[in-house]
Each structure stands twice: as structure tokens, then as C-alpha cells.
Amino acid sequence: MSMPGSGLGLVEGYFGTAWDWPARMATMRFLAGHGYRFFIYAPKADAFLRRRWREAHPADEALALADFAAACRAAGVQFGVGLSPFEAYLEDAAGVRAALDAKLRFLDEIGCETLALLFDDMRGDVPNLAQLQVELAQHCAEHSNAKQVMLCPSYYSDDPILDKVFGARPSRYLETLGAGLDPAIDIFWTGDKVCSTTFDPADLARVAEQMRRKPFLWDNYPVNDGPRMSQHLHLRGFTGRPAALEAVVAGHAVNPALQPILTRIPALTLRDSYRLADAYDATAAFDAAARIVLGPTLAAMVTADLDLLQDCALSDMGPAKAQLRARYAANDHAAAREIVTWLDGGYGVSAEMVQTQ
């Protein structure tokens, strides 16, 4: 089986240090060869798409974005950008729209084909929130040359943690959003939780009724950002993503891990989950993907250490951390270097980073 429409792709939506451009390019091209058909650039660390969104990107970053967009086109991958006009709905509409138009012109110039408006991780207990966001989204859709426009709601899951952190969601928020938005605009959804372990097709069908369109999955695995999750490597194969999802979603976007090479392992297994349907086995898929990404020697090492790498927090490893570091430091492979950097705390994400990015 294959995903419908835009299909399967990546959305760089993590907190913490962003991938560098060579790693981003290599991962995009690798996954393009394995059925991934879109790539949305939206790392939280890019302040010029978030808290400083009104400001222009520095010239070198603008050039890098344009080069990456061209490389995506050459690889048959639809290139997108996630723009978070941070709490713009709290400000004067005329001033916000003028700034949005300037940013949209820039995104058109660099070759942005998918425009993702991201209203997550910001205050939501605002009167008429859904209507204000509809108006901004409709304005952007009318003033952008993007082939596809997407929106991440402020409340992108039923998870009550969103209400606790960002304020109580307005009554019938999702229904109002769905009724007001052009049906051509996709809406992201992370499932019943921010980081859902399973997706239930019946529940997604219910969400589709609320949205008046099929939800576009934003899958928060194998992402490992935040103070807690950055202490783990998410490597195992996807589970809880039955092939039956194909009938009830508009597409499936994977939010990757902070480690661009290691993230390829679970990414390959998601492709297999759809392709193999009931014949899919997560352990076998992991084994095959690890050999493809790591080669047989390093794959065997990671398989042997998988429980420690994924289930044990760095802070709880004790003497095992030094032993792991010595083993992986002796292996001349880029993924082994990612593991060593992680063991050294190089991928740590603090609460302050999450609050300020």
C-alpha cells in the first residue's frame, strides 16, 4: 500500500539544535529513494520562522533554503516551509498581514511548494481563536503561490496537556476551524495524544467529521526533543500505525529525531507498515532498516544495545554510558558519531530551549 495524495513525508518540527544543511540534504535524498514524497522545513530553532518571523532570513540561510528547495524538486520531493506567525492573532490585523505578505513573497522566491501555517506551542485561550486563525490562513492562501496550504491548530490533539500549558481550548474550536477553512487547506493532527503511540482509524474518522476533511497526521515519533525525550534514542520500528489509516487520513508527516541519520531507521519501517499491511512485523522491519542505514556491523551493535539506547535515560545509565561510548567511538560511521554525541549530552534539549525557541 502507499499513502494517498501527498503521501508520506517529513516535517522537521522539533525543539533543539537544528540539523545542518549537509545532513538535511542527505536525509532528504535518502528518504526520497524510499517513498518519502514531501519535506517540510520547520525546526523550532529557526527564529526567522517563529518568534522573529517578521525579520528576513540572513542571506546565507536564504540561499541555503533556496538550494535545498531546488534539491527537493530534483529528487521528486515537494518542498515546504512551516511558518509560525507567533501569536499574530493577538495583534493589529493590518500590520500582521503586511508582514505576512513580505514573508510569503520570500517563500515564493525560494521555491516553497507547501506552506504550513503552524499555530502550535502558543497561547490558545483567546476569544474567537478559530475565526482569527481562519482569517490569517485564508489570507495566506490567497497571497501565496504554494501548491498546498496546511495548518497546524493550536489544539492539534485531544490531549488535555495542551489545555494545561496553553490555556483551555475554546468551545467547538476544531469544528469552527473546519467550517471556516477552505476545504483545500489540510489540517494537522497528532492523534489522541501529543505523542501518540497508536492511531485508531475510527477515532480519526471522528476527527475528520469535526474538521470537515481528513486529518493530516503529524506523527511525533521518532522525535526525541524536550528535556525528557532527548535523553533517549527513538530507533525501534513504528507500531500502532495500521495500513487502514490510508483510508482516513490525507497524508502522514513524520517528525524526526534530533539525529538525522539514526532517524532514517524508524522512517523506513513506517513505509513498510503501510506497504506490508497485516504482514508487517516491527522487529523484522527494524532489523532490515538498521542494516540498510548502518551496515551489518553497526546494525548488530545497535540491535544488541537497543533496550539501553531507547529505554534507559542517559541520566540513569551509570557505568554503562562510558562502556557504550568506548564501543561506538571505535566505529567509523556517521551514525556511530551521532550516538557518541548523544552520550556526551550534545543533543540535550533544556526546558529553557523549549520556552524560548
Side-chain angles (χ1 to χ4, degrees):
M1 291 190 177
S2 59
M3 289 299 300
S6 299
L8 193 60
L10 219 66
V11 55
E12 258 191 284
Y14 50 78
F15 289 97
T17 302
W19 295 355
D20 62 34
W21 286 106
R24 184 174 290 114
M25 190 79 75
T27 297
M28 179 276 292
R29 287 172 170 155
F30 176 88
L31 292 178
H34 293 276
Y36 278 66
R37 290 291 170 257
F38 65 86
F39 192 112
I40 300 174
Y41 170 85
K44 310 291 190 186
D46 189 335
F48 300 100
L49 294 175
R50 286 177 61 77
R51 295 180 188 272
R52 298 171 62 185
W53 67 271
R54 292 171 180 78
E55 302 176 39
H57 277 78
D60 57 341
E61 285 296 295
L63 180 60
L65 275 165
D67 287 347
F68 185 69
C72 285
R73 288 194 298 274
V77 172
Q78 186 161 308
F79 169 68
V81 173
L83 173 62
S84 296
F86 206 79
E87 297 184 347
Y89 42 79
L90 301 179
E91 302 177 26
D92 175 68
V96 164
R97 291 182 181 184
L100 276 174
D101 289 347
K103 185 65 74 173
L104 293 174
R105 286 192 295 271
F106 165 72
L107 296 179
D108 286 342
E109 289 168 2
I110 64 169
C112 176
E113 296 178 295
T114 297
L115 173 64
L117 292 169
L118 310 180
F119 293 117
D120 55 322
D121 302 320
M122 58 187 80
R123 181 183 168 191
D125 56 343
V126 177
N128 301 317
L129 176 68
Q131 186 56 41
L132 292 170
Q133 292 176 346
V134 165
E135 291 170 3
L136 285 176
Q138 296 292 146
H139 176 87
C140 289
E142 293 168 5
H143 290 79
S144 168
N145 292 333
K147 297 177 182 178
Q148 180 182 26
V149 177
M150 315 178 80
L151 183 145
C152 182
S154 297
Y155 299 94
Y156 47 83
S157 166
D158 291 324
D159 198 329
I161 189 64
L162 297 177
D163 303 73
K164 181 178 180 180
V165 175
F166 302 111
R169 70 188 70 200
S171 175
R172 297 185 60 79
Y173 168 72
L174 206 59
E175 290 85 350
T176 305
L177 202 63
L181 283 175
D182 186 316
I185 296 177
D186 286 305
I187 301 178
F188 280 122
W189 187 251
T190 70
D192 63 333
K193 299 292 183 184
V194 172
C195 297
S196 295
T197 56
T198 62
F199 288 97
D200 179 0
D203 186 59
L204 291 171
R206 182 266 305 172
V207 173
E209 290 186 9
Q210 292 177 275
M211 292 182 171
R212 300 194 181 187
R213 72 208 69 207
K214 293 179 179 179
F216 204 110
L217 291 189
W218 176 307
D219 197 333
N220 279 320
Y221 183 84
V223 68
N224 59 343
D225 58 356
R228 180 181 58 83
M229 286 203 301
S230 61
Q231 293 212 18
H232 301 264
L233 294 179
H234 292 166
L235 301 169
R236 290 193 182 95
F238 276 86
T239 58
R241 278 74 173 164
L245 292 177
E246 183 180 27
V248 294
V249 301
H252 197 146
V254 172
N255 192 6
L258 295 169
Q259 299 77 27
I261 297 174
L262 293 173
T263 206
R264 301 174 193 178
I265 299 172
L268 291 188
T269 72
L270 182 60
R271 173 208 60 178
D272 288 344
S273 179
Y274 280 106
R275 182 173 60 86
L276 298 175
D278 291 343
Y280 172 73
D281 178 271
T283 300
F286 166 81
D287 290 340
R291 288 193 299 272
I292 291 170
V293 175
L294 307 176
T297 301
L298 184 56
M301 291 175 60
V302 170
T303 300
D305 296 326
L306 187 56
D307 290 350
L308 196 56
L309 296 171
Q310 181 145 348
D311 298 333
C312 183
L314 278 173
S315 58
D316 296 333
M317 281 188 179
K321 184 191 295 187
Q323 296 166 3
L324 284 173
R325 192 191 189 287
R327 286 208 304 277
Y328 287 98
N331 191 300
D332 187 22
H333 190 289
R337 290 191 286 275
E338 287 184 349
I339 294 174
V340 170
T341 300
W342 170 73
L343 288 166
D344 289 342
Y347 290 105
V349 179
S350 67
E352 182 181 3
M353 292 172 74
V354 173
Q355 292 165 2
T356 58
Q357 285 188 342

